[in-house]
Amino acid sequence: MWRSRKALGGTTQWIIDWGLPMAVAMGALFVFAARADNPLAVYKVFTLIDAPEHVLLWVASLLGWLLVPAIIGGFAGHIIAQRISSVKAISTNSMFTRRPLSRRLRPPGLIDDLGPYFHGTYAQQEFIDAWVRVVHRNDWTRAQDHWEVFVRDLMSTQQYAHLDRHECLRQVQNAGRIVLMLSGRTGGCIVCDRRR
C-alpha cells in the first residue's frame, strides 16, 4: 500500500528521463501529422488500424509499432513484478502448509459493521465515539465507508500477507481500530485526507 520514497523516486526519475521526452516527441508528431491529415487518421495509423499514406504518418506508424507493445508489456511486467514481490514476502513455512478442509470451505469474513459497536464492549464504544462522533460528525454512512476502505487497504499490505484470510481480517480490524482511534483523537480521518 505504502511505498518507500526511494522506490517512488526511482520511478519518478525514470518518468522524467524517458517518459517526458517520449511524450513531447509523440505530441509534436501528432500535431504535425494532424495538420497534414485529420487527427482520427493519425490515431488509426498509430494504433496500426490503417495503413499510413504520407511520411509523417509512416513515422507515427513506426512509433506505434514500437511503442504500443512496449507500453503494454511494461505495464504487464510491472503488475507481474509487484505480484511476485508480494508472494516472495511470504515465508516458505507458511506458504506450503496445508490448510484443513474446514478452513478451506469456510467463506471469507466480512468487515465489521460499525452499528453493533455502539452497544458493544467499552473499547468498541470508545472507537465509535472517536471515529463516528468526533471525526465524521455522526455521519455513520461515511464513517462505515472510510472504515471499510482503511481495512481493505491495510489487508493488502505485506505485513499481513502470510496470514490466512480470517486471521488477516481479525488482526487488521484490531490494528485498524487502534490506529483510527488515535487519529480520531487528533480530529482527522486518514481516508478523508487521502481523498482530498
Side-chain angles (χ1 to χ4, degrees):
M1 183 173 138
W2 294 287
R3 288 187 188 172
S4 66
R5 289 180 179 238
K6 192 173 188 180
L8 284 175
T11 305
T12 306
Q13 189 61 40
W14 184 89
I15 290 172
I16 292 171
D17 289 347
W18 291 97
L20 289 179
M22 285 172 43
V24 169
M26 289 299 301
L29 179 66
F30 263 81
V31 167
F32 289 125
R35 290 186 71 189
D37 209 351
N38 61 358
L40 183 62
V42 177
Y43 170 75
K44 286 184 175 180
V45 166
F46 181 74
T47 55
L48 308 175
I49 296 172
D50 288 345
E53 297 176 4
H54 58 80
V55 176
L56 287 177
L57 289 179
W58 273 101
V59 175
S61 176
L62 179 65
L63 282 174
W65 182 70
L66 292 173
L67 291 180
V68 170
I71 291 169
I72 293 170
F75 184 71
H78 176 71
I79 290 175
I80 292 168
Q82 288 294 106
R83 181 72 179 153
I84 289 171
S85 69
S86 68
V87 169
K88 284 184 177 180
I90 302 172
S91 67
T92 52
N93 291 341
S94 61
M95 185 184 296
F96 297 112
T97 56
R98 190 172 199 139
R99 292 183 298 159
L101 187 61
S102 60
R103 280 182 50 198
R104 281 188 266 168
L105 294 178
R106 202 167 142 202
L110 298 175
I111 297 174
D112 287 351
D113 184 21
L114 296 181
Y117 281 20
F118 189 73
H119 298 292
T121 63
Y122 179 73
Q124 290 173 340
Q125 290 175 6
E126 283 287 313
F127 173 67
I128 287 297
D129 189 50
W131 183 247
V132 179
R133 189 180 64 80
V134 175
V135 175
H136 291 99
R137 294 170 179 51
N138 285 331
D139 186 353
W140 281 84
T141 306
R142 193 167 62 140
Q144 179 71 35
D145 178 49
H146 290 185
W147 162 250
E148 290 175 3
V149 167
F150 183 79
V151 169
R152 180 202 65 201
D153 290 347
L154 194 58
M155 282 179 70
S156 56
T157 57
Q158 288 186 358
Q159 63 193 19
Y160 296 104
H162 65 283
L163 301 173
D164 74 327
R165 56 190 177 191
H166 299 287
E167 183 63 21
C168 176
L169 180 63
R170 187 185 69 76
Q171 286 192 19
V172 164
Q173 288 188 139
N174 288 340
R177 281 194 293 268
I178 294 168
V179 169
L180 295 178
M181 193 164 76
L182 291 175
S183 70
R185 290 180 193 260
T186 62
C189 171
I190 296 171
V191 180
C192 291
D193 293 342
R194 295 270 176 166
R195 288 186 171 180
R196 282 184 193 158

